[in-house]
Amino acid sequence: HHIPMLGTVGGHLIFLNLGEQIRTDEENNQLGTFTSYMMAVTGSYSTLLSHKSSIGLNAKVSYQHLAEIGAGAEKGKGTSIDFGFDIGYLNKSFLSDRLTLGLVVSNIGPKVDFIDPAQGDPQPTNLTLGLNFKLIDTEFNKINIVYDLNKMLVAAYPDMDWDGDYSVGGYDEDGNFTPEGEYNEAGQLEVAHKDPIYLAIFTSWVDDWLLGGDIDISSSAGAADREIGGYEWQDKNGDKIVDADEVSKTDEFEPGEVGWGKYNADGKLEVGSGKKRTMMNEIDKLIHNIGFEYWYSSYFAIRGGMIYDKTGKIFNPTFGVGLRFADYGFDFGYISGSPGHPLTNTMRFSLNWVF
């Protein structure tokens, strides 16, 4: 709703139904069922910066209901109430009167936790760059070509040997030796962790490229192993596949000595893994959405497109329709894909009211 001399106010409600789940114990015995759902209530404000550009803000409160009780020894309910913000910029004449540019940073806020605050995770802060090109723009026929680029502003690190001493941790934050320490001698945190949002805005662009050292990759050996490497892999049959009889422990050498194995117990490279990361690791994490939108007058729309997420292995086609009548609107979106894919047959419905 536009308010003269002030700006435009609005809001929306999102509800996501995850359906009924089967509850099991540690031995996979069925203990009944439970339901999961999520919802968010948002208030919005925007104002013009010029005749062709504007800026907007969302403030939202979200509720996540994963389960009525915790799992195993966790006491409490698997629910969470959180708040966050989005901020966006829109330019309806970017380089050309036919091209619209949008920039949005969404989900800015504190960590999200269930039951145990110490296990909280950063909100999925996301940067979106959107472009809309008006291919045809007549009174009764409009065709838009649209493209969105998404970048998650979350910097996450696995167990990592930052200082190259062939072990993860081993010291406390002050550099004192302790077997259970999570830091190296220089005070760097080496166990798996995520950067806070004020750092992740910058480090998320290079966390899988320039930052970090050799990665401690979990193996099937069982207990946590703080050593980096220590095993050798010899591809005896030349099939480039790690077989159990081709991996051996290099007990006669100490970490850092010539001959110390570069692999873990499963034959996965650990020593030198930090040098193999390139800028392509960051590019591969970008999510692309491309599509088209056809409007007949201002009443009916048909949409189609594709989601391309290389890291998440999502390559799904999308379809949709839109209806507008007076001050009311309805939109429907459908995500297709191969059978068994988590997003296949996902449907999204939206109702709009201009007041």
Side-chain angles (χ1 to χ4, degrees), residues 49-354:
L49 296 177
S50 68
H51 182 62
K52 295 285 188 176
S53 64
S54 60
I55 189 170
L57 176 72
N58 286 332
K60 54 190 174 184
V61 177
S62 60
Y63 173 73
Q64 299 184 75
H65 183 106
L66 298 185
E68 290 80 8
I69 60 175
E74 297 285 359
K75 303 298 182 182
K77 295 183 177 181
T79 62
S80 176
I81 299 178
D82 305 280
F83 69 91
F85 301 92
D86 310 328
I87 185 168
Y89 169 77
L90 184 69
N91 188 321
K92 287 193 172 184
S93 184
F94 180 69
L95 302 179
S96 165
D97 289 339
R98 288 179 173 266
L99 186 62
T100 297
L101 166 75
L103 282 171
V104 177
V105 179
S106 57
N107 303 317
I108 305 169
K111 289 185 175 182
V112 177
D113 62 81
F114 296 87
I115 301 177
D116 183 4
Q119 298 184 40
D121 285 311
Q123 291 195 32
T125 306
N126 187 76
L127 171 67
T128 301
L129 166 67
L131 296 170
N132 177 51
F133 182 74
K134 299 177 183 178
L135 186 64
I136 297 176
D137 188 15
T138 64
E139 182 180 0
F140 292 104
N141 296 283
K142 297 177 176 63
I143 296 180
N144 298 315
I145 305 298
V146 294
Y147 170 72
D148 282 355
L149 177 69
N150 291 271
K151 164 65 178 174
M152 192 70 72
L153 300 181
V154 175
Y157 309 91
D159 288 350
M160 193 177 298
D161 178 22
W162 292 75
D163 59 356
D165 67 351
Y166 298 90
S167 67
V168 174
Y171 298 83
D172 62 21
E173 195 170 1
D174 297 322
N176 301 311
F177 176 77
T178 173
E180 300 301 321
E182 298 182 341
Y183 298 81
N184 60 26
E185 193 171 6
Q188 292 175 295
L189 183 60
E190 293 194 328
V191 299
H193 66 282
K194 299 180 177 67
D195 283 341
I197 179 60
Y198 58 84
L199 288 179
I201 291 175
F202 306 101
T203 57
S204 60
W205 298 91
V206 291
D207 61 322
D208 282 331
W209 174 26
L210 297 179
L211 298 181
D214 291 336
I215 301 173
D216 182 17
I217 304 172
S218 298
S219 71
S220 59
D225 182 5
R226 289 182 176 270
E227 285 186 341
I228 297 290
Y231 291 80
E232 278 293 353
W233 170 46
Q234 294 180 336
D235 188 11
K236 299 176 182 177
N237 55 15
D239 61 357
K240 298 182 180 180
I241 298 175
V242 179
D243 299 315
D245 63 344
E246 296 177 336
V247 182
S248 58
K249 188 76 166 67
T250 54
D251 288 321
E252 64 271 26
F253 299 101
E254 293 295 323
E257 291 183 349
V258 176
W260 177 255
K262 297 182 179 181
Y263 300 85
N264 67 7
D266 288 341
K268 295 180 180 178
L269 180 69
E270 290 188 332
V271 177
S273 59
K275 298 178 181 179
K276 291 184 172 294
R277 293 196 294 275
T278 68
M279 185 173 65
M280 287 304 300
N281 293 74
E282 299 295 340
I283 294 176
D284 288 344
K285 292 192 299 182
L286 300 176
I287 300 174
H288 308 266
N289 300 276
I290 188 169
F292 76 93
E293 178 184 58
Y294 167 73
W295 277 97
Y296 175 73
S297 186
S298 58
Y299 303 111
F300 176 69
I302 298 176
R303 305 180 179 102
M306 171 69 71
I307 304 171
Y308 182 85
D309 177 0
K310 184 175 180 179
T311 302
K313 298 181 180 180
I314 302 173
F315 315 104
N316 294 48
T318 63
F319 308 93
V321 296
L323 297 172
R324 298 292 184 272
F325 180 75
D327 293 331
Y328 302 94
F330 169 78
D331 291 286
F332 168 74
Y334 175 76
I335 301 177
S336 183
S338 57
H341 192 281
L343 284 181
T344 296
N345 295 328
T346 298
M347 293 179 285
R348 297 175 179 174
F349 304 87
S350 294
L351 294 173
N352 303 275
W353 172 42
V354 180

